[in-house]
Amino acid sequence: MTEEERIQPAPAAFKADVWTYFGFRTKEGSKDYVKSYAVCKICTARVKYSGNTANLRTHVNTVYKIKRDFTEAISPFPSSSALPPTSAYVISYDSTPHNISVLVFICKDMRPLSVVENKRFRNMIKTLEPCYTVPSRQHITDIALPKLYQEVKATVLDSLSSAETVALTCDAWTSRATESYVTVTAHHITDQWNLQSHVLQTRAMHDSHTGEHIAALLTDAVAEWGLNAKDLVVVTDNAPNMALAARLAGMTHIQCFAHSLNLASQKALKIQSVVRLLGRIRRVTAFFRRSTTASNQLKQRQCLLQLPAHRLITDIITRWNSSYDMIERFLEQQPAICAALLSAEVRKSEKEIFTLSESDITCAEEVVRALKPMKDTTLVMSEESMPTLSVIAPLHAKLVIGAQESVDDTPTVRDIKTAIAEDLGKRYVNERETLWMASTVDPRFKDLPFLSEAETSETYSRLLDTGDCDKEGNKSTFASTSDNTAPKSEHDVAAAEIKRYRDETPLPLTGNPLSWWKDHEQEYPQLSKVARSFLFFSSAGDRVNAQRSVLRADHVDQLVFLGSIKIAKSKGESGAPQETEAGGCLIICSDMSCWGII
């Protein structure tokens, strides 16, 4: 006897339309129904029945995607006996999009691979999609993850192949499991003038981080990703080993501006009067974080004094701006802090109270005022999603000029300015011509107001020489497209382009230089090629924490690589993606019916 023959129609008293698809089995040797579960007439699946049809409706709607309104009692089949053969309604279930979705979850959120074995995770997926079986960790590790990695890697290789100039970010970091890694990221400008970034690889560094070892890693990355024929620039921190690695690898080296700002600011924070001030403020903030009584009193005083209900900040030694934020927050809350410390409740419960004198408050105000330009510059760099190289020279010049002494400066302010000026003054000495060229082709800074007339003229002369030569340095001529005159040399065309470019109204500081060049590329065909080679910059970071401390190095590489890929969902019947970016963009349809990589 077949399964279909053992499924009996629901009793006549069951009027709900969903019973068209369900029946009951009978006990062996009896005509009594087994009513603890209903049986689907299409796929013979057993669905728990508890006296209502909620589970049955869910099975029909989610598993078979049958869009019906049961409340209208419109049945597509006149009776259960008229049901077509079961095979005609069994859906061909392809789990690939669902597996991709699980991989996206793991990679983008940097979840441990063992999450697929988590009982609660599997129970959640089973509830959401009863027909989907979550793959095993071994399948994810050995098959699904490497396969997706190879497919996306192919698209990244294709994206990089069209770039003439590629900037690399080399970032050394240590996971919470004290495993040392080096992440290499590539950045280039696409044909559509988008700044494209790809995390290429993350390699474990078991050897010491010498310049020779890092140079070997960079050389291997360049070979693996087919970048040997590209004009390569590497952006790293200011460590001597990174500078040596870039030189040994034969690449132009640019110091990370954010790291340079941090180093200069750290020098200012090491001034004796500032060190003393920071120590006293840390004692106060630590006291309020430790004492519940003091913390409650602070909240009450904030309310009475109508101050923002902000928590006090304790700085992190390695991040200079956290020290600035700590002082600034202390000054903001200083009236509430004093009132809380003077309250009877705090004095009664605490034997030792930490306070600051008036001279300390004055010193704090001076430190904030002196470091504000560094803070503002740090915010400019951090708020830019992808800051270009062109911003470094004008910001660097502005900070150096702003650090000049004034007759109104107090000794503390003067010492801070001197420390910043001395440290910034020795940065970018060897790279200044490259930085000036980058600012020249940025329509926001093309007037080069931070340079003298002689330096501006010299920079534009180098720009003319650069635009006058092809990649191999050979000069060529081509016919004029504007009239029927004799062919003009490329030098004359480049000079005319530069003149028109310099006469253009500068782009506002809030403008996007890449969008500007996209709109003016046809107008400046020679100059736009130079701009595409000089507008770049980016960063990388720590992506592995304690949850993934037992990952193999190759899995860390794959997860960090895939975690950097942008995800876009398609929409509409055409499947056009909502947001796409050339190279390394994973497209998943909103209904999970298909997926692909562009």
Side-chain angles (χ1 to χ4, degrees):
M1 185 177 294
T2 64
E3 291 289 339
E4 288 81 355
E5 291 172 327
R6 288 202 295 265
I7 300 174
Q8 301 299 322
F14 291 14
K15 302 296 185 180
D17 188 64
V18 72
W19 288 110
T20 301
Y21 304 99
F22 290 93
F24 292 101
R25 284 182 179 166
T26 56
K27 297 178 181 179
E28 188 174 354
S30 171
K31 293 184 179 181
D32 296 334
Y33 292 144
V34 179
K35 293 188 176 180
S36 58
Y37 58 86
V39 182
C40 179
K41 297 176 182 179
I42 298 177
C43 66
T44 71
R46 299 194 305 177
V47 181
K48 185 176 180 181
Y49 177 65
S50 303
N52 61 66
T53 60
N55 291 340
L56 312 186
R57 295 169 187 266
T58 299
H59 179 82
V60 172
N61 283 325
T62 60
V63 178
Y64 300 106
K65 314 298 183 186
I66 297 176
K67 305 300 182 182
R68 304 179 62 252
D69 185 358
F70 290 112
T71 60
E72 295 180 359
I74 300 177
S75 173
F77 308 114
S79 66
S80 60
S81 61
L83 281 173
T86 300
S87 60
Y89 287 88
V90 175
I91 294 176
S92 176
Y93 190 86
D94 180 9
S95 64
T96 298
H98 297 73
N99 285 350
I100 293 296
S101 181
V102 171
L103 278 174
V104 169
F105 161 70
I106 292 174
C107 297
K108 297 299 291 185
D109 288 350
M110 292 304 294
R111 308 306 302 170
L113 296 176
S114 60
V115 71
V116 296
E117 296 178 342
N118 185 286
K119 183 177 180 180
R120 287 166 293 278
F121 176 79
R122 284 180 168 266
N123 181 65
M124 177 188 69
I125 297 299
K126 191 68 175 178
T127 302
L128 296 174
E129 181 54 278
C131 282
Y132 174 60
T133 301
V134 179
S136 65
R137 175 178 179 174
Q138 184 175 1
H139 177 83
I140 290 289
T141 302
D142 298 338
I143 299 176
L145 183 62
K147 180 181 178 182
L148 181 61
Y149 171 79
Q150 291 299 330
E151 291 174 346
V152 177
K153 182 177 180 179
T155 66
V156 174
L157 284 168
D158 183 63
S159 175
L160 290 173
S161 65
S162 61
E164 291 187 4
T165 301
V166 176
L168 300 179
T169 298
C170 186
D171 180 46
W173 51 277
T174 303
S175 71
R176 294 184 185 179
T178 65
E179 291 287 341
S180 182
Y181 294 93
V182 173
T183 295
V184 178
T185 309
H187 317 272
H188 69 95
I189 297 176
T190 68
D191 294 338
Q192 298 300 316
W193 289 94
N194 294 317
L195 192 56
Q196 181 77 60
S197 293
H198 302 288
V199 173
L200 299 185
Q201 61 185 45
T202 300
R203 296 289 185 263
M205 283 286 290
H206 302 298
D207 299 323
S208 58
H209 287 200
T210 62
E212 291 78 5
H213 290 152
I214 297 176
L217 185 145
L218 284 172
T219 302
D220 291 343
V222 168
E224 178 180 348
W225 293 89
L227 303 177
N228 300 86
K230 311 293 183 183
D231 294 330
L232 294 176
V233 179
V234 61
V235 180
T236 73
D237 59 28
N238 292 261
N241 61 333
M242 290 296 189
L244 176 60
R247 186 167 65 253
L248 293 176
M251 302 178 188
T252 301
H253 179 238
I254 301 294
Q255 303 172 33
C256 172
F257 190 50
H259 190 243
S260 298
L261 292 176
N262 184 64
L263 293 177
S265 301
Q266 292 286 3
K267 288 291 182 66
L269 295 179
K270 291 179 181 178
I271 297 172
Q272 190 58 39
S273 58
V274 180
V275 171
R276 175 178 172 274
L277 172 68
L278 292 175
R280 292 195 169 189
I281 294 180
R282 285 193 200 102
R283 294 175 67 189
V284 174
T285 59
F287 170 74
F288 278 95
R289 296 176 77 88
R290 182 181 70 250
S291 172
T292 56
T293 301
S295 178
N296 289 331
Q297 288 298 313
L298 178 62
K299 293 177 182 178
Q300 294 179 19
R301 297 307 185 273
Q302 287 174 335
C303 182
L304 290 174
L305 296 170
Q306 298 183 346
L307 292 174
H310 293 159
R311 295 186 61 186
L312 299 182
I313 298 173
T314 300
D315 63 345
I316 301 172
I317 302 298
T318 56
R319 294 173 53 194
W320 85 269
N321 52 313
S322 66
S323 298
Y324 179 94
D325 293 338
M326 180 180 71
I327 300 174
E328 189 176 49
R329 179 62 55 82
F330 178 86
L331 292 174
E332 174 194 86
Q333 298 294 329
Q334 194 263 339
I337 292 173
C338 290
L341 292 176
L342 293 174
S343 65
E345 291 82 358
V346 173
R347 289 184 171 275
K348 180 179 178 181
S349 60
E350 302 291 341
K351 295 182 179 180
E352 187 177 9
I353 303 297
F354 304 104
T355 58
L356 270 69
S357 64
E358 290 187 10
S359 61
D360 291 330
I361 301 299
T362 301
C363 181
E365 292 172 343
E366 292 173 353
V367 170
V368 168
R369 184 171 65 254
L371 290 177
K372 192 175 188 306
M374 300 293 287
K375 174 67 174 181
D376 292 341
T377 304
T378 301
L379 286 177
V380 169
M381 296 300 296
S382 62
E383 289 175 356
E384 289 281 344
S385 59
M386 291 184 122
T388 57
L389 187 71
S390 57
V391 303
I392 295 181
L395 289 178
H396 180 269
K398 183 176 181 180
L399 289 175
V400 172
I401 294 173
Q404 294 177 354
E405 293 185 16
S406 171
V407 293
D408 298 328
D409 290 341
T410 63
T412 298
V413 173
R414 185 168 55 251
D415 291 344
I416 290 175
K417 286 185 174 181
T418 300
I420 291 174
E422 289 179 353
D423 192 84
L424 288 179
K426 63 184 181 182
R427 307 285 177 189
Y428 303 108
V429 175
N430 298 326
E431 303 94 338
R432 66 177 187 177
E433 290 187 1
T434 300
L435 299 181
W436 291 355
M437 285 284 285
S439 298
T440 301
V441 294
D442 189 323
R444 297 174 297 178
F445 312 117
K446 65 184 184 65
D447 290 340
L448 305 179
F450 51 92
L451 298 181
S452 65
E453 290 186 8
E455 290 170 332
T456 299
S457 177
E458 180 185 352
T459 302
Y460 269 101
S461 295
R462 285 197 302 272
L463 179 63
L464 177 60
D465 294 338
T466 303
D468 188 24
C469 299
D470 58 25
K471 191 174 181 180
E472 288 73 27
N474 301 317
K475 295 187 177 183
S476 61
T477 59
F478 56 91
S480 172
T481 58
S482 59
D483 51 43
N484 296 322
T485 59
K488 293 182 178 180
S489 69
E490 193 164 341
H491 179 278
D492 294 337
V493 174
E497 283 190 13
I498 290 177
K499 183 179 184 306
R500 295 199 311 272
Y501 174 71
R502 295 187 70 175
D503 291 339
E504 288 268 7
T505 302
L507 184 70
L509 294 178
T510 55
N512 186 328
L514 298 183
S515 297
W516 190 93
W517 276 111
K518 181 179 181 179
D519 296 335
H520 295 78
E521 182 176 14
Q522 299 301 320
E523 187 177 354
Y524 303 104
Q526 296 295 101
L527 201 54
S528 62
K529 294 178 182 178
V530 182
R532 200 187 298 274
S533 300
F534 279 95
L535 296 175
F536 55 81
F537 193 63
S538 193
S539 62
D542 184 344
R543 305 296 289 277
V544 176
N545 62 26
Q547 278 187 293
R548 288 153 292 281
S549 60
V550 296
L551 283 175
R552 296 201 325 247
D554 57 335
H555 292 156
V556 172
D557 181 27
Q558 294 168 356
L559 286 173
V560 174
F561 173 79
L562 292 173
S564 68
I565 300 300
K566 290 192 174 183
I567 306 298
K569 289 186 177 180
S570 68
K571 62 177 181 179
E573 297 180 357
S574 63
Q578 291 175 331
E579 57 172 311
T580 61
E581 191 166 329
C585 185
L586 185 62
I587 305 298
I588 300 179
C589 292
S590 57
D591 61 355
M592 298 304 299
S593 61
C594 64
W595 69 279
I597 305 168
I598 64 171

